[in-house]
Amino acid sequence: MDFDWSPEEKAFREEAAAYIQEHLTEGVVNEGCDATRYVDTPERRGFMRALADCGYLGVSWPEEYGGKGLPITYDYLLAEELAAAGAPQSGKGVGIIGQTLIRHGSDELKAEFLPKILRGEIEWAIGYSEPDAGSDLASLKLRATRDGEGWRLNGQKRFTTSAHFADWYWLAARTDPEAPKHRGITLFIVPMNDPGITVQEMRCIDGERTNEVFLDDVWVSDRYAVGEVNKGFNYVSEALDYERHTLFPYSMLPRMFEMFLEFVKTTQRDGVPLRDDPAVRRTVAELARDMEVARMNSIRVVDNMVHGLPATVPAAMNKVWWSELYQRLVNAVLEIVGPGAWLRRGSAHAPMEGFFQQLYRTMVIPAIGAGANEIQRTIIARRGLGLPNPI
Ligand SMILES: Cc1cc2nc3c(=O)[nH]c(=O)nc-3n(C[C@H](O)[C@H](O)[C@H](O)COP(=O)(O)OP(=O)(O)OC[C@H]3O[C@@H](n4cnc5c(N)ncnc54)[C@H](O)[C@@H]3O)c2cc1C
């Protein structure tokens, strides 16, 4: 059994790491160490375009769509290197949307959007969740009614990250209210600058911005429906497997852990080095063990994808383990570091520059985003273990 990367994969990884270091500037690094932290700055767009210029975006896409036809492992390795460096992820356009368009989009949609995604030219917002449709996404109500050779959209979305700067909205709407709820949903692509779209800010506990979005008589042509009408829920489910993987790259965890480990190695409390404290040593060792499980989980998802096997259950396991290990790590750090750990970033005496105080406020989000962990557990129980639906 060989768990190591091939020489070609290692070479790609090393080249990518060097390229990222060369182009990464301070303003582009994710402060909160969180892949879901989507911000828009000229620097960030510039960084994405630099990745695009060197052909790093969409390397797993088929050559006919501008990719390099490499196994999806290479997208994974790039995502890992981006995460290790604290750089923004490219997963939303290249992964979630690009992969769905390649599999289900019309030739017209592919021709219009795939080249722009590969050139790093456009930003996307994803509009699935609504006030009464989060975990139970199939209950979404945003209505699309037939109007000429297109559809008229009316309703509300909630938690649309990036809506305040995105160029395009990847949105699920109800096209057939009479059909069973999973079978009456269609995916559309809508320009965010449509005058019928209003975006309202919602702030998270960590300061990150997400949005409420209101659509008032927004007309969208048939051309911008993705795949078949009323099959949108299937496409969204497929894309969510991808999201549960790409939004939680393993390499973000060692980035946090290494910082803590360095603190343990170099700090004394009451004249005694922390590294000599048996309770601290046990905590650090257990976290290191759990990190290895996280690494294996993430490789399992990509391995299933490479071999054309369903990735839903491994992706759910990856997401639950990753997000809860993140919480265990941050909680352990705050407990060991003590009250000083609550000093904010920028405070003169904050241990580890107040990094873990920021992470504490961020750590609730991964357990909710891309489908709450309770729902992931239901997926594991039902699809992985064959248990019946909960009553
Ligand atoms: C920062 C952030 C960014 C986000 N970005 C986006 C985005 O860009 N686009 C988008 O479409 N969505 C986005 N979301 C929405 C996210 O996907 C939803 O928050 C998530 O799916 C949960 O939905 P909800 O918030 O409505 O909670 P609810 O569905 O109301 O759930 C509330 C609680 O009840 C639990 N629960 C619900 N149903 C069950 C059940 N059947 N069994 C057991 N427990 C259950 C949940 O696990 C959760 O703990 C974002 C959310 C956050 C916090």
Side-chain angles (χ1 to χ4, degrees), residues 126-129 134-135 159-161 204 210 365 368 370-372 374-375:
I126 294 183
Y128 301 150
S129 306
S135 300
F159 294 124
T160 301
T161 307
C204 301
T210 182
I365 295 173
I368 300 170
E374 288 78 5
I375 303 306

Side-chain angles (χ1 to χ4, degrees), residues 34 36 38 92 124-137 157-163 169-170 204 206 208-211 240 243 247 364-376 378 390:
D34 183 356
T36 62
Y38 281 102
K92 210 194 257 184
W124 295 87
I126 294 183
Y128 301 150
S129 306
E130 296 180 6
D132 295 317
S135 300
D136 185 12
L137 187 60
K157 292 287 172 189
R158 175 168 286 172
F159 294 124
T160 301
T161 307
S162 316
Y169 206 6
W170 178 261
C204 301
D206 67 340
E208 184 182 350
R209 178 174 175 173
T210 182
N211 303 282
L240 278 171
E243 191 171 335
L247 285 189
V364 288
I365 295 173
I368 300 170
N373 282 5
E374 288 78 5
I375 303 306
Q376 305 314 305
T378 300

Side-chain angles (χ1 to χ4, degrees), residues 138-345:
S139 295
L140 66 86
K141 293 196 188 81
L142 188 133
R143 186 76 171 94
T145 38
R146 198 77 191 124
D147 185 354
E149 295 188 350
W151 301 84
R152 197 152 295 274
L153 308 184
N154 279 290
Q156 181 187 351
K157 292 287 172 189
R158 175 168 286 172
F159 294 124
T160 301
T161 307
S162 316
H164 53 298
F165 61 80
D167 307 297
W168 291 92
Y169 206 6
W170 178 261
L171 166 148
R174 183 150 310 276
T175 34
D176 184 353
E178 307 303 326
K181 62 181 185 178
H182 295 84
R183 301 208 193 108
I185 294 170
T186 302
L187 263 181
F188 293 99
I189 298 179
V190 183
M192 280 305 302
N193 63 3
D194 187 290
I197 294 184
T198 310
V199 177
Q200 267 180 21
E201 171 179 327
M202 290 172 80
R203 286 281 167 188
C204 301
I205 188 173
D206 67 340
E208 184 182 350
R209 178 174 175 173
T210 182
N211 303 282
E212 306 248 28
V213 181
F214 300 87
L215 288 91
D216 185 14
D217 267 345
V218 173
W219 190 80
V220 53
S221 143
D222 283 330
R223 172 188 154 93
Y224 289 98
V226 178
E228 284 181 53
V229 169
N230 293 330
K231 292 257 176 81
F233 193 79
N234 300 353
Y235 309 145
V236 170
S237 305
E238 221 177 82
L240 278 171
D241 286 348
Y242 207 84
E243 191 171 335
R244 282 174 198 138
H245 188 225
T246 51
L247 285 189
F248 307 96
Y250 161 73
S251 298
M252 233 187 266
L253 298 171
R255 204 168 156 246
M256 301 182 230
F257 181 67
E258 295 297 333
M259 190 181 288
F260 173 48
L261 193 57
E262 191 53 30
F263 179 82
V264 166
K265 283 179 181 167
T266 54
T267 307
Q268 299 211 348
R269 179 166 300 145
D270 299 331
V272 181
L274 273 184
R275 61 175 183 264
D276 293 338
D277 182 325
V280 173
R281 291 165 71 94
R282 188 185 60 209
T283 302
V284 171
E286 284 176 349
L287 288 169
R289 172 204 62 194
D290 291 354
M291 302 267 274
E292 186 59 9
V293 177
R295 191 172 77 86
M296 287 299 154
N297 279 342
S298 87
I299 292 174
R300 162 59 72 87
V301 183
V302 107
D303 189 59
N304 275 33
M305 287 177 170
V306 167
H307 292 99
L309 298 169
T312 308
V313 172
M317 288 180 172
N318 179 61
K319 198 252 169 188
V320 171
W321 186 261
W322 190 104
S323 53
E324 292 178 5
L325 174 54
Y326 183 166
Q327 296 183 349
R328 282 203 295 285
L329 169 62
V330 175
N331 281 324
V333 175
L334 293 187
E335 198 181 311
I336 288 170
V337 173
W342 294 102
L343 291 171
R344 286 183 179 249
R345 277 183 89 63

